Amino acid sequence: LFLKKKSSTKRGLLHTWRGYSYSVTPERLLLPRPVLQVALGTRHGVLLVEGGQVYSFGESPWKQSQVPEPEKPTLESALSGQRVVAIAAGSFHSGAVTEDGGVHMWGDNSSGQCGLSGLTTVPNPTPVALMDSDTGPPQTVPVLELACGEQHTLALAAQREVWSWGSGSQLGLNATVFPVWKPQKVEHLAGRYVIQVACGASHSLALVRCLGPQDVQRPPVDKCRQCNQLLYTMTDKEDHVIISDGHYCPLGVELTEDEGLLEAPALTQGLKTSPSEPVLPSQISTSKSSAPADGTDSSSDSAHHQDSEKEKSAMANGALPGSDHSALSKVKSSPYPDEQAVKDYLRKLSDNTRCVFILLLFLFLLQPSAPGGTLNSLVASCASAVGERVASTYEALSLKKMMNLYLPSGAARPGGAASAIVGDNTAERVRQEDSVQAKKSSSTGDIREEEAEGLRRRLSLPGLLSQVSPRLLRKAGRPRMRAVALTPLGGAVPEAQEVFPTLQTEVWSWGNCDHGQLGHGDTLARLQPQCIKSLNSKEVVRVAAGAHHSLALTAQSQVFSWGSNSCGQLGHMDSPSTVPRLAKLSEGIRVWDVSAGEKHTVLLADGDCIQPIIYYSGQQVKEAAEESYTQQPVLLPFCMNLRYVSNVFAGGQRCVALSDRNVMGFIASLHELASAERKYYCKLCNVKTQIIRPLLELGKTVALGLLQTLVGRFSLLCHLTGQHGASLTANLRRGRDVKSLLILDHTGVFIDAYHECVFLIRFGPLPDFFGKSPELLQKLSECSEENPSMSDLLMALFYLPTRHLHEYGRLLLKLATCFEVCSDDYQKLQDSCSKFEVLALQLKRKRKDADYTFHFWKSFPGKMTDSLRKPHRRLICESSNKALTLQNAGRFSVNWFILFNDALVHAQFSTHHVFPLATLWVEPIPEENTGTHGLKVITPEETFTLLASSPMEKAKWLRSINQAVDQALSGAGQDTASISSGSSQKLEPPISRTASYTFYKDGRLKEATYDGRWLNGKPNGRGALKWPDGRIYTGTFKNGLEDGFGEYVAPNKTLNKNDHYQGYWRDGKMHGLGTYRYASGEVYDGSFQDSMRHGHGMLRSGKLNTSSPSVFIGQWLQDKKTGYGVFDDITKGEKYMGMWQDHLRQGTGVVVTQFGLYYEGAFKDNKMMGTGILLSEDDTTYEGEFSDDWTLSGKGVLTMANGDYLEGSFGGEWGSGLKVTGSYFKPHLFDGDKEKTRKLGWLCVCAEDKWQAVFDECWTQLGCEAPGQGENWRAWENIAVALTTSRRHIEDSPEMLSRSHSKTLESLEVIPQHVGPINMERYHTIRLYLIKACDTPLHPLGRLVETLVAVYRMTYVGVGANRRLLPQAVKEIKSYLYRIFQIVRFLFPDLPEEGGLVPEPTTDLQDKKEGSADAPLESPKPCRVVSSSALLLPVLLPRLYPPLFTLYALDKEREDDVYWECVLRLNKQPDLALLAFLGVQQKFWPVSIPDSVPAPGEKPVLSSTKDTCFASAVETLQQISTTFTPSDKLQVIQLTFEEITQEVQSLLKQDFLWSMDDLFPVFLYVVLRARIRNLGSEVSLIEDLMDPCVQHGEHGIMFTTLKACYYQIQHEKIT
């Protein structure tokens, strides 16, 4: 047959045959190109060949002209020009899918199965469109594959949804009228990921991916599809939940009678549950009344608990004891005793209430035992009857599973039950194997599938679950069963999940079920898809459908079959099966492709050799009349001649196999790779079920945590293997090329999985849980030893995966040899191969290390080694051969050093110490000076020297320790290479590293844990230190001590809160600036030294509402307030400014109160004691002796506001009655010039003594011991350091820094030239530098200014805004200027001193060249006077202006009021009247004489106009209030004068020189019209802070004029 004609192609050879007898020989169909896919109908077939062309053969009555040779393939020319990618054939029609996802149909169309209306037959392929009307404009849906039945067609769309058309219930549509011509979406599967579809004659199957965690967000369907009302209502009572499903849908679909079967109405399927919980066929009632049905449904869900084995196995087959199938379709009988009683009871219940659920629940919970009792059977039957209503609800809530625990467990599960924990949707639960009886009853291949349904359960009503009362759930979940995930959900690794085929699948079926071909345990038809629960955890990878039977192929190469078995087509002899059963195949036969025809099944499997074998099961096709069929699948002997078969197809009575020739051994290698993987997966699954589950159940005896980890990793690997096996099989069936081998593109995934999985366990003595004989183990682990021990067998078992790695390497290499050495494919295969080999080597080494370690533990038993024993610890080397000793050890001491991969252990007689490797440094001691072979070992708390016996030993230990340390640091501790391998590379671990360590020696750090950077045994760099008592330091370290910026938290036991410090440290102590928040609520912000408050700082106590809020700002000395400070007592409303000592007010000081009292004088022991002056708001003054706060005692003078005074001795508190003995004086008027009281201010702290600490800190920062003593260059260096460190600190938290701020910082890093003579240009540079420096607190000058501003505001704001403090406030500013100027002159030593000159550059350049010959003739050169106020006031004053100006305003209040009243009165006058009144000469009046005509463009000034004369000058003068510094204000005055001059000049049309008599009235007019409210304050401010060098110049005269105007206005008498 094969040699008839040498085919041009070696691939896709087609062989066809019928039946199974030995005499059958397949017939070869010759085609020009390799065949890719075959589809067979009842009497015809369709072929798809390479290049996308389609051929038909067999009978095709729909063709107009009959084909002469029907068996000879003919080309479907209507499809030429289209590239077809998939084909399908139904009984009498065919379909094809093109590359772009288009569908073409042809053949019989009597039932609409071709999707074209109006035609009974479609002769040639015709396009059919799938239109999705859900989208905005309807769009065509691209299709991936088709499946055709007898009267219907299914299409799988690219979005993984199912579409159907044709006739019958198998469409899965809510249709009442057939045929359905237009393709429609099967809504019930919408939103799920469908992998594959298959069609029987009148039923449909879909393979669906389980909902993984990534699909959970899909909202549950808890509303009725038709009328959009809630299906379930739920009431949460105190300790129970009532769920009612009383929804009645008015739009429900009428029941249709079809082939004598009752079909469930669509509306009952409204609740779309999760895949593992398909909706039950709901209560079947023929009327629309709410009366209950006559019987109960016998689907697998209700068949829970029977009383006898016989009934049980009968139920499993979907039949009821004592009833035949015909009875089912009409009225179903209940399998429980006393059925009538139950029915009556139910009817009653149903009439009274619908909330039966809760009653059930309580019956279950109350009656956990007493099997066989009447109550129990009643409850059980009640459950199944009412269950029709409620089941889907409590199914959804996963509560049913728990109820099973409380049901009489009689015959149902003698082995005990596993609970499915509510809400667990992550993993399959390990459960105990079913009872032995159950196994007996299922010897025919039924593995009691109903019991398996609960293995992996997911919630389908997350919306409701949240309301289930937790107490109920607690009750229900009582049995504590340890659960371990045996099947990871999703892929092995997230990103590979989409690439690898999924194994978590479900099979959904719908349509006719007269032969049980839907697999739901009954013969009821289903209008809509329903999940076959028993296949849920079976890892189905492919489904196939014959005319009336169905097949499912699993990843473990098993075949489940169900449906009609009239000719043995199910592969077992249970006739027929309504639930999936395993087909009977001899052991070791692994099926990997299935196909089903009308009454037969073809299986493609792996046998003992690489070449695939074919099994046939079903009807024998003979010409003779007699019918014969197989009892179980039979091997077709001719398959060996077909060489490498890649697919089998069946349909009608035919079978087809596609095979390939083995070119260059490539096909054989691919088959071998796939076959090896499938075999390996089956083995892993066996290990999982037969070894690991029992092991877990006996978990108590073995180290449980370890075992669980092992099992978890083993499962992951097992899962990955299954996925890989499935993908290899798919590759064989479709492409057969190297490109789609996942193992090449995702080698990393495999390598990681193996890395994780190979876990090293040494089992202790194991219990005999495998019986006395370890044959099973021996068989599974392929162990060849004689009488091996149990633990050796288990070891061998867990090493199985490593052996498989070599297999991968070998097979990939074999594949590679089929390619040219230079090709990419060769490279890729070669790379992957070497990766697996490397991994195998690594794992081998790991095993060697483990064995070495194991022997070490064995040979040194004892308490010490027991305490060191940890599963992940590996021995590297040890010094029991005296190769290493301790230097200076005693004569009789024993020192034994053991190096593990995570620690160095130093053992002595009775004690041992473990040094973790991460914090171990070792360095060789040079030999020339000592002559010994020494190694110095440094650990955080000990340093010792080890002496080696020889240079060899020294080198070995040095290298071993270094290598171990390096691996411990890189986190590869579990993966240590053995010593020998590292001889070539000389590894030195870094001296600086990150590690964690707990200190054990006594001292400050005892039991503290440090986590961070280290350098040579000392914490160095960033880290965190935690003490057991709760103290925590986080920040930088230097040489083992806290140093630099850090945060520190210390718990305060009494207050139960934490103290919190944030700031700088030095040598383990707080040092520098910081903020300390005390648990009591106090906050200190300022300088520290040796962990004490020292220097300038501010302490805030309490909040405003607590008992004593107060603020102190000032100098501290060793944690005490000492020196000058300001204390604001917010409760009393007093502010003290003065000297302190040891927290007490001591020395001179000033107190002001919120009531306007003012005291200055001496303080002693926190009290006013000694001489002082006290003023009250109304100027009453007392000057004399005090003995306590506000208490007069001794001699003094009391002066009244009007000048009268008392002299004598006083006693008593101010404000209460004063006792006075003395004389009363009333001075004469002519005595007025006599000095009544001494000036204020002589008893307070002088300005130079204030805030010395602030300036000292600035000098210290610049590196000076005392002001002005130090090196100029060092100061600049310190500034640079301060800026860069602050910048670095801020870069860690960029949110602190605005963009402009960082620009300022950058510009400050350039140091201006600070030596050499100063000229104007240099002077400006310095000025700009100062402005920028004072702008950022990171610069020492900026920090100084910021602090000064803070203290100034603290002093003079609030209670401190007292007019009597004005002179002190002014003096304080002047002292700031003087002291900052000192620092500036230190930084720029060539700057002239106060009042010195800077020459201005002259414009004439020739002066310089011609030398000094004619210099004397010129006028003096212009120059600039240097003064602190000119340089620094512009920086300082704007920041201090608000408090200062407030004081001025308070001080000048009375005068300003008089002035203002006058201004308001005079401003009522029109311009001319006012000019006249002020005596301005008429020639200056900007007025045209009324009779003359005004010049064009000039505004005539009429007698009534106001505010027009000198308007620009007035406007200019008003700007005086918007400026800060005196020089700016003087500038404004000068501009005003210029404006006046300009206006007058334009009036007189000539140059003009003012005389004061002319000018004064005009200026007075401008001042009046400017209406400046606080002019008095402005004048005083200018006067007080004016640059002395300006006083006698032009500005001085102008200022005097303004001052004169102010006084003039106050005393203006208006006549």
PDB file of all heavy atoms in Angstrom, residues 80 107 893 1050 1056 1061 1160 1292 1336:
ATOM      1  N   SER A  80     -11.441  28.903  -3.162  1.00  0.00           N
ATOM      2  CA  SER A  80     -10.109  29.265  -3.648  1.00  0.00           C
ATOM      3  C   SER A  80      -9.928  30.773  -3.475  1.00  0.00           C
ATOM      4  O   SER A  80     -10.874  31.555  -3.630  1.00  0.00           O
ATOM      5  CB  SER A  80      -9.951  28.853  -5.117  1.00  0.00           C
ATOM      6  OG  SER A  80     -10.972  29.456  -5.864  1.00  0.00           O
ATOM      7  N   GLY A 107     -23.905  22.465   2.499  1.00  0.00           N
ATOM      8  CA  GLY A 107     -24.499  21.157   2.811  1.00  0.00           C
ATOM      9  C   GLY A 107     -25.978  21.310   3.136  1.00  0.00           C
ATOM     10  O   GLY A 107     -26.629  22.280   2.739  1.00  0.00           O
ATOM     11  N   SER A 893      42.194  23.465  76.743  1.00  0.00           N
ATOM     12  CA  SER A 893      40.899  23.871  76.178  1.00  0.00           C
ATOM     13  C   SER A 893      40.684  23.184  74.839  1.00  0.00           C
ATOM     14  O   SER A 893      41.631  22.833  74.147  1.00  0.00           O
ATOM     15  CB  SER A 893      40.847  25.379  75.985  1.00  0.00           C
ATOM     16  OG  SER A 893      41.787  25.742  75.003  1.00  0.00           O
ATOM     17  N   ALA A1050      11.859  56.635  72.057  1.00  0.00           N
ATOM     18  CA  ALA A1050      12.018  55.947  73.342  1.00  0.00           C
ATOM     19  C   ALA A1050      10.669  55.935  74.044  1.00  0.00           C
ATOM     20  O   ALA A1050      10.056  56.981  74.223  1.00  0.00           O
ATOM     21  CB  ALA A1050      13.044  56.682  74.210  1.00  0.00           C
ATOM     22  N   ASN A1056       2.805  55.936  78.804  1.00  0.00           N
ATOM     23  CA  ASN A1056       2.398  55.020  77.744  1.00  0.00           C
ATOM     24  C   ASN A1056       2.438  55.672  76.361  1.00  0.00           C
ATOM     25  O   ASN A1056       1.601  55.407  75.514  1.00  0.00           O
ATOM     26  CB  ASN A1056       0.992  54.508  78.043  1.00  0.00           C
ATOM     27  CG  ASN A1056       0.851  53.078  77.544  1.00  0.00           C
ATOM     28  OD1 ASN A1056       1.795  52.539  76.949  1.00  0.00           O
ATOM     29  ND2 ASN A1056      -0.295  52.482  77.767  1.00  0.00           N
ATOM     30  N   TYR A1061      12.915  61.840  69.063  1.00  0.00           N
ATOM     31  CA  TYR A1061      13.934  62.841  68.715  1.00  0.00           C
ATOM     32  C   TYR A1061      14.285  62.710  67.243  1.00  0.00           C
ATOM     33  O   TYR A1061      14.418  61.611  66.723  1.00  0.00           O
ATOM     34  CB  TYR A1061      15.201  62.637  69.558  1.00  0.00           C
ATOM     35  CG  TYR A1061      16.375  63.482  69.096  1.00  0.00           C
ATOM     36  CD1 TYR A1061      16.431  64.843  69.405  1.00  0.00           C
ATOM     37  CD2 TYR A1061      17.408  62.945  68.330  1.00  0.00           C
ATOM     38  CE1 TYR A1061      17.495  65.644  68.973  1.00  0.00           C
ATOM     39  CE2 TYR A1061      18.465  63.729  67.891  1.00  0.00           C
ATOM     40  CZ  TYR A1061      18.506  65.075  68.218  1.00  0.00           C
ATOM     41  OH  TYR A1061      19.543  65.863  67.774  1.00  0.00           O
ATOM     42  N   GLU A1160      10.473  96.582  84.779  1.00  0.00           N
ATOM     43  CA  GLU A1160      11.847  96.218  84.473  1.00  0.00           C
ATOM     44  C   GLU A1160      12.650  96.369  85.745  1.00  0.00           C
ATOM     45  O   GLU A1160      12.400  97.256  86.554  1.00  0.00           O
ATOM     46  CB  GLU A1160      12.408  97.063  83.327  1.00  0.00           C
ATOM     47  CG  GLU A1160      12.695  98.502  83.622  1.00  0.00           C
ATOM     48  CD  GLU A1160      13.421  99.187  82.463  1.00  0.00           C
ATOM     49  OE1 GLU A1160      12.922  99.168  81.327  1.00  0.00           O
ATOM     50  OE2 GLU A1160      14.484  99.748  82.727  1.00  0.00           O
ATOM     51  N   ASP A1292      17.099  63.135  49.666  1.00  0.00           N
ATOM     52  CA  ASP A1292      16.386  61.920  50.077  1.00  0.00           C
ATOM     53  C   ASP A1292      14.891  62.192  50.196  1.00  0.00           C
ATOM     54  O   ASP A1292      14.075  61.314  50.042  1.00  0.00           O
ATOM     55  CB  ASP A1292      16.910  61.420  51.434  1.00  0.00           C
ATOM     56  CG  ASP A1292      18.378  61.049  51.324  1.00  0.00           C
ATOM     57  OD1 ASP A1292      18.836  60.862  50.172  1.00  0.00           O
ATOM     58  OD2 ASP A1292      19.054  60.965  52.353  1.00  0.00           O
ATOM     59  N   THR A1336      18.328  81.030  52.439  1.00  0.00           N
ATOM     60  CA  THR A1336      18.134  79.595  52.712  1.00  0.00           C
ATOM     61  C   THR A1336      18.685  79.229  54.080  1.00  0.00           C
ATOM     62  O   THR A1336      19.822  79.577  54.410  1.00  0.00           O
ATOM     63  CB  THR A1336      18.810  78.716  51.633  1.00  0.00           C
ATOM     64  OG1 THR A1336      18.841  77.380  52.128  1.00  0.00           O
ATOM     65  CG2 THR A1336      20.210  79.156  51.317  1.00  0.00           C
TER      66      THR A1336
END
